Structures are given as structure tokens and as C-alpha cells.
Coordinates of all heavy atoms in Angstrom, one line a residue:
M1 N 18.5 -21.0 -44.7 CA 18.7 -19.6 -44.9 C 20.2 -19.4 -45.1 O 21.0 -19.9 -44.5 CB 18.2 -18.9 -43.6 CG 18.1 -17.4 -43.8 SD 17.6 -16.5 -42.3 CE 16.0 -17.0 -42.1
S2 N 20.5 -18.5 -46.1 CA 21.9 -18.2 -46.4 C 22.5 -17.3 -45.4 O 21.8 -16.6 -44.7 CB 22.0 -17.6 -47.8 OG 21.5 -16.3 -47.8
N3 N 23.8 -17.3 -45.4 CA 24.5 -16.4 -44.5 C 24.2 -14.9 -44.8 O 24.1 -14.1 -43.8 CB 26.0 -16.7 -44.6 CG 26.8 -16.1 -43.4 OD1 26.2 -15.8 -42.4 ND2 28.1 -16.0 -43.6
A4 N 24.1 -14.6 -46.0 CA 23.8 -13.2 -46.4 C 22.5 -12.7 -45.8 O 22.4 -11.6 -45.4 CB 23.9 -13.0 -47.9
S5 N 21.5 -13.6 -45.8 CA 20.2 -13.2 -45.2 C 20.3 -12.9 -43.7 O 19.7 -12.0 -43.2 CB 19.2 -14.3 -45.5 OG 19.0 -14.4 -46.9
T6 N 21.0 -13.7 -43.0 CA 21.1 -13.5 -41.6 C 21.9 -12.3 -41.2 O 21.7 -11.7 -40.2 CB 21.7 -14.8 -40.9 OG1 23.0 -15.1 -41.4 CG2 20.8 -16.0 -41.0
E7 N 22.9 -12.0 -42.1 CA 23.7 -10.8 -41.8 C 22.8 -9.5 -41.9 O 23.0 -8.6 -41.1 CB 24.8 -10.6 -42.9 CG 26.0 -11.6 -42.6 CD 27.0 -11.5 -43.7 OE1 27.1 -10.4 -44.3 OE2 27.7 -12.4 -43.9
S8 N 21.9 -9.4 -42.8 CA 21.1 -8.2 -42.9 C 20.2 -8.0 -41.7 O 20.0 -6.8 -41.3 CB 20.2 -8.3 -44.1 OG 19.3 -9.3 -44.0
Y9 N 19.8 -9.0 -41.0 CA 19.1 -8.8 -39.7 C 19.9 -8.3 -38.6 O 19.4 -7.7 -37.7 CB 18.4 -10.2 -39.3 CG 17.3 -10.6 -40.3 CD1 17.4 -11.6 -41.1 CD2 16.1 -9.8 -40.3 CE1 16.4 -12.0 -42.0 CE2 15.1 -10.2 -41.1 CZ 15.3 -11.3 -42.0 OH 14.3 -11.6 -42.8
D10 N 21.2 -8.5 -38.6 CA 22.1 -8.0 -37.6 C 22.5 -6.5 -37.8 O 23.0 -5.9 -36.9 CB 23.4 -8.9 -37.6 CG 23.1 -10.3 -37.1 OD1 22.1 -10.5 -36.4 OD2 23.9 -11.2 -37.5
E11 N 22.2 -6.0 -38.9 CA 22.6 -4.6 -39.2 C 21.5 -3.7 -38.7 O 20.3 -3.9 -38.9 CB 22.8 -4.4 -40.7 CG 24.0 -5.2 -41.2 CD 24.1 -5.1 -42.7 OE1 23.3 -4.5 -43.4 OE2 25.1 -5.6 -43.2
P12 N 21.9 -2.5 -38.2 CA 20.8 -1.6 -37.8 C 20.1 -1.0 -39.0 O 20.7 -0.8 -40.0 CB 21.6 -0.4 -37.1 CG 23.0 -0.9 -37.0 CD 23.2 -2.1 -37.8
Y13 N 18.8 -0.8 -38.8 CA 18.0 -0.2 -39.9 C 18.5 1.2 -40.2 O 18.7 2.0 -39.2 CB 16.5 -0.2 -39.4 CG 15.6 0.4 -40.4 CD1 15.3 -0.2 -41.6 CD2 15.1 1.7 -40.2 CE1 14.4 0.4 -42.5 CE2 14.3 2.3 -41.1 CZ 13.9 1.6 -42.3 OH 13.1 2.2 -43.2
L14 N 18.5 1.6 -41.4 CA 18.8 2.9 -41.8 C 17.6 3.6 -42.2 O 16.9 3.2 -43.2 CB 19.8 3.0 -43.0 CG 21.3 2.6 -42.7 CD1 22.1 2.8 -43.9 CD2 21.8 3.5 -41.5
E15 N 17.2 4.7 -41.6 CA 16.1 5.5 -41.9 C 16.3 6.1 -43.4 O 17.4 6.1 -43.8 CB 15.9 6.7 -41.0 CG 15.6 6.3 -39.6 CD 14.2 5.7 -39.4 OE1 13.3 5.9 -40.2 OE2 14.0 5.0 -38.4
T16 N 15.2 6.5 -44.0 CA 15.3 7.0 -45.4 C 16.3 8.2 -45.4 O 17.1 8.3 -46.3 CB 13.9 7.4 -45.8 OG1 13.1 6.3 -45.8 CG2 14.0 8.0 -47.2
C17 N 16.2 9.0 -44.4 CA 17.1 10.2 -44.4 C 18.6 9.8 -44.3 O 19.4 10.4 -45.0 CB 16.8 11.1 -43.3 SG 16.8 10.4 -41.6
C18 N 18.9 8.7 -43.6 CA 20.3 8.3 -43.5 C 20.7 7.6 -44.7 O 21.9 7.7 -45.1 CB 20.4 7.3 -42.3 SG 20.3 8.2 -40.7
R19 N 19.8 6.8 -45.4 CA 20.2 6.2 -46.7 C 20.5 7.3 -47.7 O 21.4 7.2 -48.5 CB 19.1 5.3 -47.2 CG 19.0 4.0 -46.4 CD 18.2 2.9 -47.1 NE 16.8 3.4 -47.4 CZ 15.8 3.3 -46.6 NH1 15.9 2.9 -45.4 NH2 14.6 3.7 -47.0
S20 N 19.7 8.4 -47.7 CA 19.9 9.5 -48.6 C 21.3 10.2 -48.3 O 22.0 10.5 -49.2 CB 18.8 10.6 -48.5 OG 17.6 10.0 -48.9
T21 N 21.6 10.3 -47.1 CA 22.9 10.9 -46.7 C 24.0 10.0 -47.1 O 25.0 10.5 -47.6 CB 22.9 11.2 -45.2 OG1 21.9 12.1 -44.8 CG2 24.2 11.7 -44.7
L22 N 23.8 8.7 -46.9 CA 24.9 7.8 -47.4 C 25.1 7.9 -48.9 O 26.3 7.9 -49.3 CB 24.5 6.3 -47.0 CG 25.5 5.2 -47.3 CD1 26.7 5.4 -46.4 CD2 24.9 3.9 -47.1
H23 N 24.0 8.1 -49.6 CA 24.2 8.3 -51.1 C 24.9 9.6 -51.4 O 25.7 9.6 -52.3 CB 22.8 8.2 -51.8 CG 22.9 8.2 -53.3 ND1 23.5 7.2 -54.0 CD2 22.5 9.1 -54.2 CE1 23.4 7.5 -55.3 NE2 22.8 8.6 -55.4
R24 N 24.5 10.6 -50.7 CA 25.2 11.9 -50.9 C 26.7 11.8 -50.6 O 27.5 12.4 -51.3 CB 24.6 13.0 -50.1 CG 23.3 13.5 -50.6 CD 22.8 14.8 -50.0 NE 22.4 14.6 -48.6 CZ 21.2 14.1 -48.2 NH1 20.3 13.9 -49.0 NH2 20.9 14.0 -46.9
L25 N 27.0 11.1 -49.6 CA 28.5 10.8 -49.3 C 29.2 10.2 -50.4 O 30.3 10.5 -50.8 CB 28.6 10.0 -48.0 CG 28.5 10.7 -46.7 CD1 28.5 9.6 -45.5 CD2 29.6 11.7 -46.5
L26 N 28.5 9.2 -51.0 CA 29.1 8.5 -52.1 C 29.3 9.5 -53.3 O 30.4 9.5 -53.9 CB 28.2 7.3 -52.6 CG 28.8 6.6 -53.8 CD1 29.2 5.2 -53.4 CD2 27.8 6.6 -54.9
L27 N 28.3 10.3 -53.6 CA 28.4 11.2 -54.7 C 29.5 12.3 -54.4 O 30.1 12.8 -55.4 CB 27.1 11.9 -54.9 CG 25.9 11.0 -55.4 CD1 24.6 11.8 -55.4 CD2 26.2 10.4 -56.7
C28 N 29.7 12.6 -53.2 CA 30.8 13.7 -52.9 C 32.2 13.1 -53.0 O 33.1 13.9 -53.1 CB 30.6 14.2 -51.4 SG 29.1 15.2 -51.3
A29 N 32.3 11.8 -53.0 CA 33.6 11.1 -53.1 C 34.6 11.7 -52.2 O 34.3 11.9 -51.0 CB 34.1 11.2 -54.6
S30 N 35.8 12.0 -52.6 CA 36.9 12.4 -51.7 C 36.7 13.8 -51.3 O 37.4 14.2 -50.3 CB 38.3 12.2 -52.4 OG 38.3 13.1 -53.6
T31 N 35.9 14.6 -51.9 CA 35.6 16.0 -51.4 C 35.0 16.0 -50.1 O 35.3 16.8 -49.2 CB 34.7 16.7 -52.4 OG1 35.3 16.7 -53.7 CG2 34.4 18.1 -52.0
G32 N 34.1 15.0 -49.8 CA 33.4 14.9 -48.6 C 32.3 15.9 -48.4 O 32.1 16.8 -49.2
R33 N 31.5 15.7 -47.3 CA 30.5 16.6 -46.9 C 30.9 17.4 -45.7 O 31.3 16.8 -44.7 CB 29.2 15.9 -46.6 CG 28.6 15.4 -47.9 CD 27.2 14.8 -47.8 NE 26.2 15.7 -47.3 CZ 25.6 16.7 -48.0 NH1 26.0 16.9 -49.3 NH2 24.6 17.5 -47.5
P34 N 30.7 18.7 -45.7 CA 31.1 19.5 -44.5 C 30.1 19.3 -43.4 O 29.0 18.9 -43.5 CB 31.0 20.9 -45.1 CG 30.1 20.9 -46.2 CD 30.2 19.5 -46.8
T35 N 30.6 19.7 -42.2 CA 29.7 19.7 -41.0 C 28.8 20.9 -41.1 O 29.1 21.8 -41.9 CB 30.6 19.7 -39.7 OG1 31.4 20.9 -39.8 CG2 31.4 18.5 -39.6
G36 N 27.8 20.9 -40.3 CA 26.9 22.0 -40.2 C 25.8 22.1 -41.2 O 25.0 23.0 -41.3
L37 N 25.6 21.0 -42.0 CA 24.5 20.9 -42.9 C 23.3 20.3 -42.2 O 23.3 19.7 -41.1 CB 24.9 20.1 -44.1 CG 26.1 20.6 -44.9 CD1 26.4 19.7 -46.0 CD2 25.7 22.0 -45.5
K38 N 22.1 20.3 -42.9 CA 20.9 19.8 -42.3 C 21.0 18.3 -42.0 O 20.3 17.8 -41.2 CB 19.7 20.1 -43.2 CG 19.3 21.5 -43.3 CD 18.0 21.7 -44.1 CE 17.6 23.2 -44.1 NZ 16.4 23.4 -44.8
D39 N 21.8 17.6 -42.8 CA 21.9 16.1 -42.6 C 23.0 15.8 -41.5 O 23.4 14.6 -41.4 CB 22.2 15.4 -43.9 CG 23.4 15.8 -44.6 OD1 24.2 16.7 -44.1 OD2 23.7 15.2 -45.7
Q40 N 23.4 16.7 -40.7 CA 24.5 16.5 -39.7 C 24.1 15.3 -38.8 O 24.9 14.5 -38.5 CB 24.7 17.8 -38.9 CG 25.7 17.6 -37.8 CD 27.1 17.7 -38.3 OE1 27.4 18.3 -39.3 NE2 28.0 17.2 -37.5
P41 N 22.8 15.2 -38.3 CA 22.5 14.1 -37.4 C 22.7 12.8 -38.1 O 23.2 11.8 -37.5 CB 21.1 14.3 -37.0 CG 20.9 15.8 -37.2 CD 21.7 16.2 -38.3
C42 N 22.4 12.7 -39.4 CA 22.6 11.4 -40.1 C 24.0 11.2 -40.4 O 24.5 10.0 -40.3 CB 21.8 11.5 -41.5 SG 20.0 11.5 -41.3
L43 N 24.8 12.2 -40.7 CA 26.3 12.0 -40.8 C 26.9 11.5 -39.6 O 27.7 10.5 -39.6 CB 26.9 13.3 -41.2 CG 26.6 13.8 -42.6 CD1 27.0 15.3 -42.8 CD2 27.3 13.0 -43.7
E44 N 26.5 12.0 -38.4 CA 27.0 11.5 -37.2 C 26.5 10.1 -36.9 O 27.3 9.3 -36.3 CB 26.5 12.5 -36.0 CG 27.2 13.8 -36.1 CD 26.7 14.8 -35.2 OE1 25.7 14.6 -34.5 OE2 27.2 16.0 -35.2
R45 N 25.3 9.7 -37.2 CA 24.8 8.4 -37.0 C 25.6 7.4 -37.9 O 26.0 6.3 -37.5 CB 23.3 8.2 -37.3 CG 22.8 6.8 -37.1 CD 21.3 6.7 -37.0 NE 20.9 5.4 -36.6 CZ 20.3 4.5 -37.4 NH1 20.0 4.9 -38.7 NH2 20.0 3.3 -37.0
L46 N 25.8 7.8 -39.2 CA 26.6 6.9 -40.1 C 28.0 6.8 -39.5 O 28.6 5.7 -39.7 CB 26.6 7.5 -41.5 CG 25.2 7.6 -42.2 CD1 25.4 8.3 -43.5 CD2 24.7 6.2 -42.4
E47 N 28.5 7.8 -38.9 CA 29.9 7.7 -38.4 C 29.9 6.7 -37.2 O 30.8 5.8 -37.1 CB 30.4 9.0 -37.9 CG 31.8 9.0 -37.4 CD 32.3 10.3 -36.8 OE1 31.5 11.1 -36.4 OE2 33.5 10.5 -36.8
R48 N 28.9 6.8 -36.3 CA 28.8 5.8 -35.2 C 28.7 4.4 -35.7 O 29.2 3.4 -35.1 CB 27.6 6.2 -34.3 CG 27.9 7.4 -33.5 CD 26.8 7.6 -32.4 NE 25.5 7.6 -32.9 CZ 24.9 8.8 -33.3 NH1 25.5 9.9 -33.3 NH2 23.6 8.7 -33.8
L49 N 28.0 4.2 -36.8 CA 27.8 2.9 -37.4 C 29.1 2.4 -38.2 O 29.1 1.3 -38.7 CB 26.6 2.8 -38.3 CG 25.3 3.1 -37.6 CD1 24.1 3.2 -38.6 CD2 25.0 1.9 -36.7
G50 N 30.1 3.3 -38.4 CA 31.2 2.9 -39.2 C 31.1 3.1 -40.7 O 31.9 2.6 -41.4
L51 N 30.0 3.7 -41.1 CA 29.7 3.9 -42.5 C 30.3 5.2 -43.1 O 30.3 5.4 -44.3 CB 28.2 3.8 -42.8 CG 27.5 2.5 -42.2 CD1 26.0 2.6 -42.5 CD2 28.1 1.3 -42.8
S52 N 30.7 6.1 -42.2 CA 31.3 7.3 -42.6 C 32.4 7.7 -41.6 O 32.4 7.1 -40.5 CB 30.3 8.5 -42.8 OG 29.9 8.9 -41.5
E53 N 33.3 8.6 -42.0 CA 34.2 9.0 -41.0 C 34.4 10.5 -41.2 O 34.3 11.1 -42.3 CB 35.6 8.3 -41.1 CG 36.3 8.5 -42.4 CD 37.6 7.7 -42.5 OE1 37.8 6.9 -41.6 OE2 38.3 7.9 -43.4
L54 N 34.7 11.2 -40.1 CA 35.0 12.6 -40.1 C 36.5 12.8 -40.2 O 37.2 12.4 -39.3 CB 34.4 13.3 -38.8 CG 34.6 14.8 -38.7 CD1 33.9 15.5 -39.8 CD2 34.1 15.3 -37.3
R55 N 36.9 13.5 -41.3 CA 38.3 13.7 -41.5 C 38.7 14.9 -40.6 O 37.9 15.7 -40.1 CB 38.6 14.0 -43.0 CG 38.4 12.9 -43.9 CD 38.9 13.1 -45.3 NE 38.4 14.4 -45.8 CZ 38.1 14.7 -47.0 NH1 38.2 13.7 -47.9 NH2 37.7 15.9 -47.4
D56 N 40.1 15.1 -40.6 CA 40.6 16.2 -39.8 C 40.2 17.6 -40.4 O 40.2 18.6 -39.7 CB 42.2 16.1 -39.8 CG 42.6 15.0 -38.9 OD1 41.9 14.5 -38.1 OD2 43.8 14.5 -39.1
D57 N 39.9 17.6 -41.7 CA 39.5 18.9 -42.3 C 38.0 19.2 -42.0 O 37.5 20.2 -42.6 CB 39.8 18.9 -43.8 CG 39.0 17.9 -44.6 OD1 38.2 17.1 -44.0 OD2 39.1 17.9 -45.8
G58 N 37.3 18.4 -41.2 CA 35.9 18.7 -40.9 C 34.9 18.2 -41.9 O 33.8 18.7 -41.9
R59 N 35.3 17.3 -42.8 CA 34.4 16.8 -43.8 C 34.2 15.3 -43.6 O 35.1 14.6 -43.2 CB 34.9 17.0 -45.2 CG 34.9 18.5 -45.6 CD 35.4 18.7 -47.0 NE 35.1 20.1 -47.4 CZ 33.9 20.4 -48.1 NH1 33.1 19.5 -48.4 NH2 33.7 21.7 -48.4
F60 N 33.0 14.8 -43.8 CA 32.6 13.4 -43.7 C 32.8 12.8 -45.0 O 32.5 13.3 -46.1 CB 31.2 13.2 -43.3 CG 30.9 13.6 -41.9 CD1 30.5 14.8 -41.5 CD2 31.0 12.6 -40.9 CE1 30.2 15.1 -40.2 CE2 30.7 12.9 -39.6 CZ 30.3 14.1 -39.2
V61 N 33.4 11.5 -45.0 CA 33.5 10.7 -46.2 C 33.0 9.3 -46.0 O 33.0 8.9 -44.8 CB 35.0 10.7 -46.7 CG1 35.5 12.0 -47.2 CG2 35.9 10.2 -45.6
I62 N 32.6 8.7 -47.0 CA 32.1 7.3 -46.9 C 33.3 6.3 -46.7 O 34.4 6.5 -47.2 CB 31.3 6.9 -48.2 CG1 30.5 5.7 -47.9 CG2 32.2 6.8 -49.4 CD1 29.4 5.5 -49.0
T63 N 33.1 5.3 -45.8 CA 34.1 4.3 -45.6 C 33.8 3.1 -46.5 O 32.8 3.0 -47.2 CB 34.0 3.8 -44.1 OG1 32.7 3.2 -43.9 CG2 34.2 5.0 -43.1
Q64 N 34.7 2.1 -46.4 CA 34.6 0.9 -47.2 C 33.3 0.2 -46.7 O 32.6 -0.4 -47.5 CB 35.8 0.0 -47.0 CG 37.0 0.5 -47.8 CD 36.8 0.6 -49.2 OE1 36.2 -0.3 -49.9 NE2 37.1 1.7 -49.8
D65 N 33.0 0.2 -45.4 CA 31.8 -0.4 -44.9 C 30.6 0.3 -45.4 O 29.5 -0.3 -45.7 CB 31.8 -0.5 -43.4 CG 32.7 -1.5 -42.8 OD1 33.1 -2.5 -43.6 OD2 33.0 -1.5 -41.6
G66 N 30.7 1.6 -45.5 CA 29.6 2.5 -46.1 C 29.4 2.1 -47.6 O 28.2 2.1 -48.0
L67 N 30.5 1.9 -48.3 CA 30.3 1.5 -49.7 C 29.6 0.2 -49.9 O 28.7 0.0 -50.7 CB 31.7 1.5 -50.4 CG 32.4 2.8 -50.6 CD1 33.8 2.6 -51.1 CD2 31.6 3.7 -51.6
K68 N 30.0 -0.7 -49.0 CA 29.3 -2.1 -49.0 C 27.8 -1.9 -48.7 O 27.0 -2.5 -49.3 CB 30.0 -3.0 -48.0 CG 29.4 -4.4 -47.9 CD 30.2 -5.2 -46.9 CE 29.7 -6.6 -46.8 NZ 28.7 -6.8 -45.8
R69 N 27.5 -1.2 -47.6 CA 26.1 -1.0 -47.2 C 25.3 -0.3 -48.4 O 24.2 -0.6 -48.6 CB 26.1 -0.2 -45.9 CG 24.7 -0.1 -45.3 CD 24.3 -1.4 -44.7 NE 23.0 -1.2 -44.0 CZ 22.8 -1.1 -42.7 NH1 23.8 -1.0 -41.9 NH2 21.6 -0.9 -42.3
H70 N 26.0 0.7 -49.0 CA 25.3 1.4 -50.1 C 25.0 0.4 -51.2 O 23.8 0.4 -51.8 CB 26.2 2.5 -50.7 CG 25.6 3.3 -51.7 ND1 25.4 2.9 -53.0 CD2 25.1 4.6 -51.7 CE1 24.8 3.8 -53.7 NE2 24.6 4.9 -52.9
R71 N 25.9 -0.5 -51.6 CA 25.6 -1.5 -52.6 C 24.5 -2.4 -52.2 O 23.7 -2.8 -53.0 CB 26.9 -2.4 -52.9 CG 27.9 -1.7 -53.7 CD 29.0 -2.7 -54.2 NE 29.7 -3.3 -53.1 CZ 30.8 -2.8 -52.5 NH1 31.2 -1.6 -52.8 NH2 31.4 -3.4 -51.5
E72 N 24.4 -2.8 -50.9 CA 23.4 -3.7 -50.5 C 22.0 -3.0 -50.4 O 21.0 -3.7 -50.7 CB 23.7 -4.2 -49.1 CG 24.9 -5.1 -49.1 CD 25.4 -5.4 -47.7 OE1 24.9 -4.9 -46.7 OE2 26.4 -6.2 -47.5
E73 N 21.9 -1.8 -49.9 CA 20.6 -1.2 -49.7 C 20.2 -0.2 -50.8 O 19.0 0.0 -51.0 CB 20.6 -0.4 -48.4 CG 20.7 -1.3 -47.2 CD 20.3 -0.7 -45.9 OE1 19.5 0.3 -45.9 OE2 20.7 -1.1 -44.9
I74 N 21.1 0.4 -51.4 CA 20.7 1.5 -52.4 C 21.0 1.0 -53.8 O 20.2 1.2 -54.7 CB 21.5 2.8 -52.1 CG1 21.1 3.3 -50.7 CG2 21.2 3.8 -53.2 CD1 22.0 4.3 -50.2
G75 N 22.1 0.3 -54.0 CA 22.4 -0.3 -55.3 C 23.9 0.0 -55.7 O 24.5 0.9 -55.2
P76 N 24.4 -0.8 -56.6 CA 25.7 -0.6 -57.1 C 25.9 0.7 -57.9 O 24.9 1.2 -58.4 CB 26.0 -1.8 -58.0 CG 24.6 -2.2 -58.5 CD 23.7 -1.8 -57.4
V77 N 27.1 1.2 -57.8 CA 27.4 2.5 -58.5 C 28.6 2.2 -59.5 O 29.7 1.9 -59.0 CB 27.7 3.6 -57.6 CG1 28.0 4.9 -58.4 CG2 26.6 3.8 -56.6
D78 N 28.3 2.1 -60.7 CA 29.3 1.8 -61.7 C 29.6 3.0 -62.6 O 28.8 3.8 -62.9 CB 28.9 0.6 -62.6 CG 28.8 -0.7 -61.8 OD1 29.5 -0.8 -60.8 OD2 27.9 -1.5 -62.1

């Protein structure tokens, strides 16, 4: 078994709603997503997982780990 395969088993499962939120974060780029939206619970979960961060201006943005996870689970964005 390759190392990449064993890594995926160590990562917490992302529900469909959280994967969608991760994709929205990517699409928002540096603008970020504001707090108080319907996907707030997912934004907070992604933050706990290190896949997003809440900036001082109250907006969530995707992290480098989030970009990596997006490429692995959702697909590359070119």
C-alpha cells in the first residue's frame, strides 16, 4: 500500500456540505466568506481541521492545507 493511500485514512471524513463549503471558499479566493451564513457550522469545522481560517475582518479563507484537501477530494482548479 502506498503512503498516499494510508494518509487518506487518517484524515477526517468531510460531509458533502463541508466539501461544498470548501469549494465555495476556494471560489471566494482572497475575498473570503463572511460569518453568519447558512454554512457557518461547516466553516467552523473546516477551521478546526485547519482547512480554513477566520481573518480579523470576520471572513473565512481557505488555507494551504485546505487547497491540498480540495485537490485530493474535489479536484484540481487550474
Side-chain angles (χ1 to χ4, degrees):
M1 191 182 295
S2 74
N3 195 20
S5 296
T6 56
E7 285 178 24
S8 64
Y9 289 109
D10 294 334
E11 295 175 353
Y13 175 76
L14 287 181
E15 297 288 340
T16 302
C17 55
C18 290
R19 285 195 307 274
S20 295
T21 299
L22 186 65
H23 187 64
R24 283 191 293 275
L25 279 173
L26 180 114
L27 295 175
C28 288
S30 63
T31 302
R33 287 189 62 75
T35 57
L37 299 175
K38 289 184 178 183
D39 62 358
Q40 180 80 25
C42 291
L43 290 165
E44 292 171 355
R45 180 165 190 249
L46 294 173
E47 182 183 28
R48 287 191 303 273
L49 294 172
L51 304 177
S52 73
E53 66 182 6
L54 180 60
R55 293 188 313 214
D56 291 338
D57 65 357
R59 291 183 168 266
F60 286 91
V61 291
I62 195 166
T63 62
Q64 288 299 313
D65 286 344
L67 290 170
K68 180 178 181 267
R69 187 74 179 259
H70 186 283
R71 280 191 302 274
E72 293 170 354
E73 289 198 27
I74 301 166
V77 184
D78 297 327

